[in-house]
Amino acid sequence: MENTNNSVRDAAAYVAQALGITMAELDEIVSTLTASDQPARSDGENLLLALGEIIRREPSRYDLVDAAEAAKILGVSRSRLHLLADTKPDFPQQRYPHLAGKLWRRQDIDVFNRTWDRRVGRPPKAT
């Protein structure tokens, strides 16, 4: 059972780091997932269970959007979104990097959209 607990904890820790979960929250999640005698699961199954439990507890906190959705919220192209992400210090940090691209919390993108000093047109060329 200890090996299962470690496997669940490792999977949950990976998800927790990506989503900004505290260690106390992580310990509670691991406790929930390992509370009953369950058959051994693969790391992938543990990862999905941990992610499901985290989202079940507070769904709005983990509403993630990809670059296409974030660009749509901001009313910009995906290339402009990536430029904003690279150049604006107040742009939200990505929450979870994956092979297909970056993910942000929808709430963070919404807050940036409300506070962003949007300027129309191209910036002046540097001389």
Side-chain angles (χ1 to χ4, degrees), residues 25-113:
E25 290 173 304
L26 174 62
D27 289 339
E28 186 180 332
I29 290 164
V30 171
S31 175
T32 299
L33 294 177
T34 59
S36 61
D37 290 332
Q38 298 177 1
R41 296 182 296 252
S42 70
D43 288 343
E45 289 171 317
N46 285 327
L47 184 63
L48 289 174
L49 285 171
L51 180 58
E53 180 62 18
I54 288 167
I55 291 171
R56 183 192 66 74
R57 289 171 180 225
E58 197 175 345
S60 64
R61 182 175 173 188
Y62 307 108
D63 185 5
L64 301 176
V65 296
D66 63 7
E69 183 68 18
K72 184 178 177 182
I73 292 168
L74 297 175
V76 298
S77 68
R78 285 179 46 194
S79 60
R80 175 72 172 137
L81 172 88
H82 290 295
L83 182 64
L84 289 169
D86 293 341
T87 61
K88 292 282 191 185
D90 58 335
F91 195 85
Q93 292 294 312
Q94 70 177 354
R95 287 308 201 173
Y96 181 71
H98 65 89
L99 295 176
K102 299 176 181 180
L103 295 175
W104 294 271
R105 280 186 5 179
R106 179 181 304 274
Q107 180 180 3
D108 293 343
I109 296 295
D110 288 338
V111 167
F112 178 78
N113 194 32

